[in-house]
Amino acid sequence: QVQLVESGGGLVQPGGSLRLSCAASGRIFSIYNLDWYRQVPGKQRELVATITRGGSTNYADSVKGRFTISRDNAKNTVYLQMNTLKVEDTAVYYCHTEARASALGSLKDYWGQGTQVTVSS
């Protein structure tokens, strides 16, 4: 099994910055795309950013130019640098990946427990 543990959330003023981290551990054979999602109460979880194993990235329009996703494959870790934060960025942020626990294992979805980001003055 693969475990994802997020860290780095918290309270920040509008215009401020936060950096989220998500470390994968456990029985890992291969990790593919790494994603950050976010969710606010009463709304669907939305994709914020994706990074492939090769480093290609994609962002939601609402965060382009403000957020940067990166990964360290040696550490099985993904980061989300969030700058110029807005009140509407307030949400629980979740890390997600698809991974194999062994060479012949099936590709499975894994989610972190979530970390709260609150942007407020």
Side-chain angles (χ1 to χ4, degrees), residues 16-67:
S17 298
L18 280 176
R19 188 193 194 207
L20 305 183
S21 300
C22 173
S25 62
R27 190 179 179 189
I28 300 170
F29 175 76
S30 185
I31 291 178
Y32 296 89
N33 288 3
L34 283 159
D35 317 298
W36 286 98
Y37 284 77
R38 65 187 181 188
Q39 188 170 26
V40 297
K43 291 190 176 182
Q44 283 191 325
R45 193 170 294 188
E46 67 166 339
L47 179 61
V48 175
T50 297
I51 186 166
T52 67
R53 290 177 67 179
S56 296
T57 59
N58 198 26
Y59 298 91
D61 288 342
S62 59
V63 306
K64 279 181 183 176
R66 300 187 298 120
F67 291 10

Side-chain angles (χ1 to χ4, degrees), residues 16-20 66-67 80-85 93 117:
S17 298
L18 280 176
R19 188 193 194 207
L20 305 183
R66 300 187 298 120
F67 291 10
L80 186 68
Q81 177 66 43
M82 304 186 294
N83 297 330
T84 319
L85 282 160
Y93 284 70
V117 171

Side-chain angles (χ1 to χ4, degrees), residues 20-22 34 36 51 69-71 76-80 95:
L20 305 183
S21 300
C22 173
L34 283 159
W36 286 98
I51 186 166
I69 189 171
S70 60
R71 66 190 286 171
N76 289 325
T77 300
V78 62
Y79 307 96
L80 186 68
C95 177

